Amino acid sequence: MNFITFTESHLRTFTYHVFKKMGCSDEHATLATDVLIRSDLRGIDSHGVARLSGYVRLWEKKRINATPNIKIVHETPTTATVDGDAGLGLVVAPFAMQVAIEKAEKYGSGWVSVKNSNHFGIAGYHALMAVEKDMIGISMTNASPLVAPTYANERLLGTNPMCYAFPAGKYPPVIVDMATAAAANGKLEIAQRANKNIPDGWVQDKNGAGSTDPNELKNGGSLLPLGSDKDHGSHKGYGLSATVDILSAVLSGANYGPWVPPFVAFLEPSANPVGEGLGHFLGAMRVDGFRPVEDFKNHLDNWVERFKSAKTVNPDKKVIIPGEPEHEFELERKVSGIPLIDVVVKDLNELADKLGITGLNSFN
């Protein structure tokens, strides 16, 4: 497995031109680019520019609207439902979070459920928008059905990530950003590209038996919930995933459970949908609605310091604060560049040829 490193600015330029070729406005192309590049900067390679071809294929199938009329279709002073008009989730979700933030500025908190959207990138991007305003940010989305609930041998739920982000003082924000499956599908894609096995407990085969083959989903298998099996707490991961599905879709009018449209363009959406597109749920809460901001930040700093000083089983291993590895990746990659696996570079260069834009290698 070989890596080629690109500067952030070069990847931004390339990605922007891809979205422009899809017909996105300057504003939407810039925003969608920012969401993807932030993922790569933070070391979440599975959700960065490696996903570009997937978005283009969905656009070609007319399942993504490059010029959506994103609008509020229902609201109260503190809540709203947003219709994404089949737009890029990379654009729809920030719109919805901005609505939540504006409601929180007036009333202390804001909550927005979204329908008729698509894959929205990393949940952390949207939650961090609230943190920048000294708010607590919450972001979640349902996703293509790849996960079998506890005891099931049928794909009914997505990896359904959820994120909670908290502003700190002298330390980076505390960001709990996780899939509610044992592993995100992107990690299987990375293992496939590297031709490596995956850990036990991530997937089961079509007969319900455990497997370490990263290609198992292609053969009729399914991902497992967080916890893997009942004895190890999979019912808890199943419950978290169900919560995301209900808040994101049952609440908004999006598709839920097995009716969520697949991210891959070669699989068709359900012929009998129960809603519109994918669903998201975004929330913002003003910290000063509970206590003075500086008091909260000082105590969160103290929380971070105490957990970092915890005694560990292995003296070479320190307790990791949620969001800490991603922050360190971002600091490093801002300076040293973003490494892409050669398979992804090849895919992006082929995409450039198809769209008639400058290839990625010319930027290196």
Side-chain angles (χ1 to χ4, degrees):
M1 182 168 58
N2 298 312
F3 289 90
I4 303 171
T5 300
F6 298 88
T7 65
E8 176 189 350
S9 62
H10 287 161
L11 278 184
R12 282 186 183 276
T13 300
F14 176 83
T15 305
Y16 169 83
H17 284 300
V18 170
F19 285 122
K20 284 294 290 180
K21 275 290 185 177
M22 288 172 59
C24 296
S25 66
D26 287 342
E27 178 186 1
H28 284 187
T30 300
L31 177 55
T33 294
D34 194 48
V35 178
L36 290 191
I37 297 302
R38 193 74 186 278
S39 177
D40 283 311
L41 284 171
R42 293 178 66 78
I44 310 172
D45 301 331
S46 59
H47 284 57
V49 296
R51 291 266 177 174
L52 263 177
S53 294
Y55 294 115
V56 172
R57 285 191 289 268
L58 288 175
W59 166 69
E60 290 173 333
K61 295 275 287 196
K62 302 189 185 307
R63 285 171 52 190
I64 284 180
N65 178 7
T67 56
N69 177 25
I70 308 167
K71 58 184 182 294
I72 296 171
V73 294
H74 183 87
E75 70 177 322
T76 71
T78 59
T79 65
T81 300
V82 164
D83 184 331
D85 194 24
L88 285 161
L90 308 170
V91 172
V92 176
F95 175 96
M97 179 54 92
Q98 187 57 42
V99 171
I101 289 170
E102 290 172 1
K103 288 181 175 294
E105 288 173 338
K106 290 183 180 179
Y107 302 108
S109 69
W111 306 93
V112 180
S113 198
V114 179
K115 66 176 180 177
N116 204 5
S117 187
N118 282 282
H119 190 276
F120 78 174
I122 55 169
Y125 183 95
H126 315 299
L128 280 169
M129 289 175 61
V131 167
E132 292 170 0
K133 301 289 186 178
D134 283 336
M135 298 180 186
I136 295 166
I138 299 171
S139 171
M140 56 188 73
T141 183
N142 68 357
S144 311
L146 298 172
V147 181
T150 302
Y151 297 137
N153 189 21
E154 184 179 2
R155 301 176 182 179
L156 294 178
L157 289 165
T159 53
N160 293 5
M162 56 169 56
C163 178
Y164 292 78
F166 306 90
K170 61 184 178 180
Y171 295 107
V174 175
I175 306 172
V176 181
D177 186 355
M178 63 180 192
T180 54
N185 186 40
K187 291 188 177 180
L188 268 66
E189 293 171 351
I190 290 172
Q192 290 165 15
R193 293 180 185 127
N195 197 28
K196 291 183 177 179
N197 285 341
I198 55 174
D200 285 319
W202 282 16
V203 302
Q204 63 185 19
D205 65 20
K206 63 182 180 182
N207 298 313
S211 174
T212 60
D213 182 357
N215 298 291
E216 208 62 75
L217 296 186
K218 300 176 183 178
N219 301 321
S222 52
L223 286 168
L224 293 170
L226 185 64
S228 300
D229 58 35
K230 182 64 165 62
D231 291 340
H232 293 92
S234 71
H235 58 291
K236 298 177 183 178
Y238 166 37
L240 289 171
S241 185
T243 300
V244 173
D245 204 31
I246 293 167
L247 287 174
S248 298
V250 178
L251 189 61
S252 69
N255 288 291
Y256 46 82
W259 292 279
V260 176
F263 180 74
V264 291
F266 62 83
L267 293 177
E268 293 297 325
S270 171
N272 300 294
V274 293
E276 297 177 82
L278 266 71
H280 316 313
F281 187 76
L282 296 305
M285 295 185 291
R286 274 171 46 182
V287 168
D288 65 3
F290 300 90
R291 70 185 304 185
V293 173
E294 290 309 309
D295 285 354
F296 174 82
K297 288 183 174 181
N298 287 338
H299 279 278
L300 189 54
D301 285 346
N302 187 53
W303 186 96
V304 169
E305 289 171 354
R306 180 62 186 88
F307 275 70
K308 288 297 291 180
S309 66
K311 296 177 183 177
T312 56
V313 175
N314 182 342
D316 294 330
K317 300 286 187 181
K318 299 297 182 183
V319 169
I320 298 170
I321 304 301
E324 184 180 12
E326 293 84 354
H327 176 72
E328 291 176 353
F329 266 118
E330 189 162 9
L331 292 178
E332 176 191 343
R333 290 185 173 186
K334 281 276 188 182
V335 176
S336 61
I338 297 170
L340 299 180
I341 189 172
D342 51 7
V343 177
V344 170
V345 174
K346 180 176 181 291
D347 175 64
L348 293 176
N349 280 324
E350 290 173 352
L351 178 64
D353 287 341
K354 182 171 72 171
L355 295 177
I357 63 175
T358 304
L360 190 57
N361 280 341
S362 65
F363 290 116
N364 196 31

